[in-house]
Amino acid sequence: MATEENTPPQEKREFPPLNKWLWMVAGVIGVAGILFGYDQGVIAGALKGIQNDLHVSDTVLSVITSWVTLGALVGALVAGTMADRFGRKSALLFAGALFAVGAVVEGVAPGTVVLVIGRLTVGFAVGVASVAAPLYAAEMAPARLRGRYVSGYQLGITFGIFIAYLVAQLLDAADWRWMLGLSGIVGVLLIIAIVPLPDTPRWFVKRGRHDDAVKALAKVDDTGDPAATLEHLEEDIKADAQASWGEVFSARWRAPLMIGIGLAVFQQITGINAIIYYANNIFEAAGFHSFESQTEATTWAIGAVNVVATLIAVKYVDRVGRKPLLLTGLVGMGVSLLVVGFAFQDIADNPDATGTTTAGIVTLIALIVYITSFAFSLGPVVWTMINEIYPRQVRGRMVSIATAFNWFAAFVVAQLFLDVTNAIGESGTFWIFAGFCLLAFLWIWRYVPETKDRTLEEIQAMFSKRFDDSEQEKKDAAGGAS
Ligand code: BGC
């Protein structure tokens, strides 16, 4: 996925109206985001019913929650090859169909094993879609719109989480099969959204199907010059082909590779999905005793706030700059996690308190601050930066490596959260997340460069120059020493 390539900053904010085809592409990216988000959010509402019906331990509950990310990790890794060989469109059709099947399996699962198989299946489908959908949108959208499509994806994710929370709120805890099974509809919607659309011009060119490429270009870039775009695409594809895996890991590109991986991992280990998945459990521990009051707090304080704050972020991300957003967001996240930790200490000290306590209300407010801070910083900015810091020749592979690290970190957090909470308590767990916020702050402040208003080529040249300068320094130091 790429952002607004080669677009001078002053032209970035002029957006001519989208034609019918571009709206349909936006629809695909939106539905793919909802697919991702629904799947992330639904488990918060389903956990209680699963526990009541299947009587599973906390460790098994963590497996049911987190193995979806394991499936997604594998899906993301194979998605690139799949999208290259069979096309972006076929990969998305496959993801939609597999997701629908997995959702039905989850819904009818007679026991834990089949349920986990269903979770792995939908996870795999989400992983494929998480690479193929942004890739499809980035290749379909004219350069000037790419940034918007990346943010649109994050918006889709938050909307999907919100819908899942809302469904859980409307249903009863015992209806967990419906909560999981209903997500199949989103898979079917993805199929319906993509069927009328062609594959991307870039993929057609790669496969030597020039006529199809011209036809696809005429649809999505009706104001542009298809012949010139086609020529540009061919040059680009030649450059892509020259890059080897050696180059991906070469010393010259180590800095951007590490920055992408670092951002992807910090996005997860600062706690976002522990809160997205286990929101109801957290509110229960904070004194929200009935299932209704928990799902209500989760739907509005976490789900709706996440959507609204992301909407605001999408509007300002290009104006304020990536780094100030990341750093400010991390301060908000870190401080609110510290507060949540203290509130839980108070809750642990007063086990006999009944009804909604001050500590419970403090937790609710602090979590709203946390979600807002995440939604304007690490949520959208990490995905934007991962897709803009890499040189063209190695971008696809570096993006999929960073995405896989993101899923892996999500897996570790979801898998360990309940066990760590049981071992050291809620307070300690939230303070660990707060500690990671501090680490992320220092690391981003020291190593991550600002990329706002720079073209992809300028970003690439900046990393190249840094590398050349540091090599020169090393040579000078060696020369001085001898
Ligand atoms: C993250 C997801 C998270 C979501 C929450 C995304 O940027 O990658 O893991 O669930 O934000 O809004």
Side-chain angles (χ1 to χ4, degrees):
M1 195 166 40
T3 49
E4 296 160 15
E5 203 162 353
N6 297 331
T7 312
Q10 67 276 17
E11 286 173 24
K12 274 188 179 163
R13 272 157 226 135
E14 286 170 23
F15 298 112
L18 303 188
N19 71 17
K20 173 182 97 183
W21 297 102
L22 285 169
W23 273 114
M24 285 161 73
V25 174
V28 168
I29 190 95
V31 176
I34 294 175
L35 185 110
F36 179 148
Y38 188 96
D39 201 60
Q40 301 268 91
V42 72
I43 201 67
L47 279 179
K48 165 130 294 140
I50 294 175
Q51 204 166 20
N52 289 346
D53 281 1
L54 304 181
H55 311 290
V56 290
S57 67
D58 271 356
T59 307
V60 175
L61 213 55
S62 303
V63 168
I64 293 169
T65 304
S66 67
W67 279 30
V68 84
T69 49
L70 207 58
L73 166 68
V74 182
L77 283 176
V78 301
T81 317
M82 196 188 273
D84 276 347
R85 186 161 308 165
F86 304 109
R88 283 73 171 122
K89 182 178 169 175
S90 305
L92 283 169
L93 281 171
F94 170 77
L98 192 68
F99 188 88
V101 171
V104 173
V105 171
E106 285 180 329
V108 301
T112 316
V113 175
V114 179
L115 182 57
V116 171
I117 292 174
R119 298 289 290 154
L120 278 170
T121 310
V122 295
F124 187 86
V126 168
V128 171
S130 76
V131 173
L135 183 67
Y136 181 76
E139 290 184 358
M140 281 303 237
R144 66 178 190 281
L145 291 169
R146 283 186 195 151
R148 286 274 153 135
Y149 278 76
V150 177
S151 324
Y153 186 54
Q154 176 69 17
L155 199 59
I157 296 175
T158 59
F159 196 57
I161 295 173
F162 174 66
I163 298 176
Y165 284 169
L166 202 61
V167 168
Q169 200 194 331
L170 295 176
L171 297 176
D172 201 58
D175 297 327
W176 62 271
R177 293 180 182 281
W178 281 108
M179 296 177 199
L180 296 173
L182 274 176
S183 65
I185 296 174
V186 191
V188 176
L189 278 181
L190 183 61
I191 297 175
I192 295 173
I194 191 124
V195 160
L197 283 158
D199 214 307
T200 72
R202 175 183 282 261
W203 185 73
F204 283 131
V205 171
K206 266 191 175 168
R207 309 300 284 184
R209 291 165 58 177
H210 288 258
D211 290 350
D212 288 327
V214 173
K215 271 190 227 155
L217 269 175
K219 283 180 178 152
V220 289
D221 203 4
D222 53 0
T223 54
D225 174 357
T229 314
L230 205 63
E231 207 174 297
H232 181 74
L233 268 180
E234 271 161 9
E235 278 167 25
D236 226 38
I237 285 164
K238 257 186 241 153
D240 271 353
Q242 281 157 13
S244 62
W245 273 104
E247 221 173 312
V248 173
F249 297 109
S250 71
R252 176 168 292 275
W253 301 120
R254 197 153 298 149
L257 181 64
M258 293 319 289
I259 287 173
I261 293 176
L263 286 172
V265 170
F266 275 125
Q267 190 202 46
Q268 295 298 326
I269 62 174
T270 44
I272 182 63
N273 282 321
I275 288 159
I276 297 284
Y277 294 156
Y278 296 111
N280 287 346
N281 304 39
I282 296 171
F283 285 125
E284 183 179 18
F288 292 70
H289 293 298
S290 71
F291 184 68
E292 291 72 39
S293 63
Q294 290 155 23
T295 52
E296 200 179 351
T298 300
T299 307
W300 301 106
I302 311 282
V305 169
N306 197 12
V307 177
V308 175
T310 304
L311 254 174
I312 299 169
V314 166
K315 203 161 158 43
Y316 290 103
V317 67
D318 278 338
R319 293 187 205 172
V320 182
R322 284 54 163 152
K323 215 168 161 175
L325 282 179
L326 286 174
L327 295 177
T328 321
L330 278 163
V331 172
M333 289 163 66
V335 171
S336 51
L337 286 168
L338 278 181
V339 173
V340 175
F342 282 119
F344 269 100
Q345 223 175 23
D346 191 65
I347 292 163
D349 291 344
N350 299 291
D352 301 327
T354 50
T356 315
T357 59
T358 313
I361 301 293
V362 169
T363 305
L364 181 77
I365 296 171
L367 285 183
I368 292 178
V369 174
Y370 174 87
I371 283 290
T372 309
S373 307
F374 175 87
F376 72 73
S377 62
L378 267 73
V381 177
V382 165
W383 289 121
T384 305
M385 289 195 76
I386 282 179
N387 287 290
E388 70 185 1
I389 57 174
Y390 296 130
R392 194 178 56 183
Q393 312 89 293
V394 288
R395 191 180 304 144
R397 271 166 285 183
M398 285 195 173
V399 168
S400 75
I401 292 172
T403 306
F405 267 96
N406 185 269
W407 284 117
F408 179 68
F411 168 70
V412 173
V413 172
Q415 182 67 41
L416 294 184
F417 181 71
L418 285 186
D419 287 336
V420 173
T421 309
N422 285 339
I424 63 167
E426 276 92 358
S427 299
T429 315
F430 286 115
W431 286 334
I432 292 178
F433 287 139
F436 282 133
C437 288
L438 177 65
L439 263 184
F441 184 96
L442 297 173
W443 179 80
I444 289 172
W445 185 48
R446 170 80 181 78
Y447 292 108
V448 176
E450 181 55 76
T451 49
K452 174 182 95 108
D453 284 350
R454 296 190 186 193
T455 64
L456 297 184
E457 283 65 28
E458 282 166 0
I459 297 172
Q460 189 167 337
M462 172 190 66
F463 280 118
S464 239
K465 183 171 178 314
R466 276 192 182 185
F467 176 77
D468 290 338
D469 289 351
S470 79
E471 288 296 290
Q472 190 59 44
E473 263 170 38
K474 273 188 219 155
K475 266 192 211 145
D476 291 348
S482 61

